[in-house]
Amino acid sequence: MDDPLLRLEDVTKDYGERVVTRVLHGISFTLSSGGFTALIGPSGSGKSTLLHLLGLLDRPTSGRILLRGCDTGELGQHALGRLRGRTIGFVFQFHHLLPAFTAVENVMMPILADRGRADDEMRDHAIGLLERVGLADRMHNRVTELSGGQQQRVAVARALSMTPALVLADEPTGNLDTQSGDQVFALLRQFNREQGTAFLIVTHDPCLAARCDRIIELVDGRITSDRSGG
């Protein structure tokens, strides 16, 4: 049987030194290639902390996180950064685009960071992604000239620019109106089904979560439910 894409084994996370607060308590689960999973839970349940660990932006206090069979705890910061950049994409509620640059330049940024230089192949790849998210006519606009929904579609294209195996989406529709949110969700589903990209979507929206294939619920730093959605 193939190894899962991502595996958490009894992961904990503490904060503080003199007064220690445990935020995550023995989290264990796997994410498979091509999965489409929602992570839900009330505010303060540990979702953001868990997302930072899944994205290799922070390290657990104890336990193991394996990405494609590699124990990430054994990697130095440089190797961890390269693995993250080439394997994981991120979509945030507030898209964090670079306002001085155009849509196509924003999409190119992760590849530029990895390769250190721009080339025609990189630009063509970014243009192709923007065409797929419906922004062929706005790719040379600065992102400040785009609507919120359009900016989030640029963010989706940017997250997919390195062809990651996994995309972590933190409230990707939370700052959008219903129509724009539905369009962004449909894009995530499209890339999941057509390219086999795995998605983990953090959301407070029960209707959105119900449209995912799997729902993991986190309460007080513990998984209380792991069930099928859809």
Side-chain angles (χ1 to χ4, degrees):
M1 183 176 178
D2 292 338
D3 287 333
L5 173 59
L6 186 71
R7 178 190 297 276
L8 275 70
E9 298 179 351
D10 201 24
V11 165
T12 68
K13 183 62 180 179
D14 299 340
Y15 289 105
E17 295 181 1
R18 295 182 62 186
V19 178
V20 176
T21 300
R22 175 149 293 183
V23 178
L24 296 177
H25 304 260
I27 302 295
S28 298
F29 65 85
T30 63
L31 295 177
S32 300
S33 297
F36 200 80
T37 303
L39 176 64
I40 64 172
S43 297
S45 61
K47 298 190 304 299
S48 295
T49 298
L50 179 57
L51 198 67
H52 276 77
L53 296 181
L54 293 171
L56 310 183
L57 299 169
D58 197 2
R59 296 182 186 267
T61 302
S62 65
R64 298 202 304 163
I65 299 175
L66 293 92
L67 181 60
R68 286 183 161 168
C70 174
D71 187 345
T72 60
E74 297 179 353
L75 300 179
Q77 285 300 117
H78 179 71
L80 194 68
R82 288 184 70 83
L83 179 64
R84 177 176 60 243
R86 294 178 175 184
T87 312
I88 302 174
F90 297 89
V91 181
F92 304 99
Q93 178 177 355
F94 300 99
H95 34 73
H96 300 299
L97 300 173
L98 299 175
F101 294 90
T102 66
V104 71
E105 289 168 342
N106 269 275
V107 176
M108 290 169 62
M109 285 298 170
I111 315 175
L112 183 60
D114 184 70
R115 298 183 186 175
R117 59 180 178 82
D119 56 37
D120 290 341
E121 178 188 358
M122 184 190 304
R123 180 172 289 274
D124 289 345
H125 178 60
I127 288 171
L129 284 168
L130 286 169
E131 289 173 344
R132 291 192 66 187
V133 301
L135 292 175
D137 59 337
R138 306 303 299 272
M139 66 178 63
H140 298 300
N141 288 78
R142 288 191 179 186
V143 292
T144 52
E145 299 170 341
L146 305 180
S147 70
Q150 289 170 335
Q151 289 182 46
Q152 194 65 310
R153 281 188 270 164
V154 174
V156 170
R158 180 185 59 184
L160 293 159
S161 62
M162 290 289 290
T163 318
L166 171 65
V167 171
L168 303 175
D170 188 5
E171 296 283 358
T173 64
N175 200 40
L176 302 175
D177 60 73
T178 301
Q179 181 178 1
S180 297
D182 284 343
Q183 290 172 348
V184 168
F185 182 85
L187 281 173
L188 303 184
R189 251 313 190 189
Q190 177 184 340
F191 282 103
N192 167 249
R193 287 171 170 159
E194 293 180 1
Q195 296 186 183
T197 306
F199 284 83
L200 178 74
I201 300 173
V202 176
T203 181
H204 282 98
D205 184 346
C207 295
L208 188 149
R211 294 160 65 187
C212 297
D213 297 331
R214 178 185 177 192
I215 303 171
I216 298 173
E217 186 168 4
L218 194 67
V219 178
D220 294 332
R222 294 179 171 86
I223 292 177
T224 58
S225 175
D226 188 345
R227 60 189 186 273
S228 297

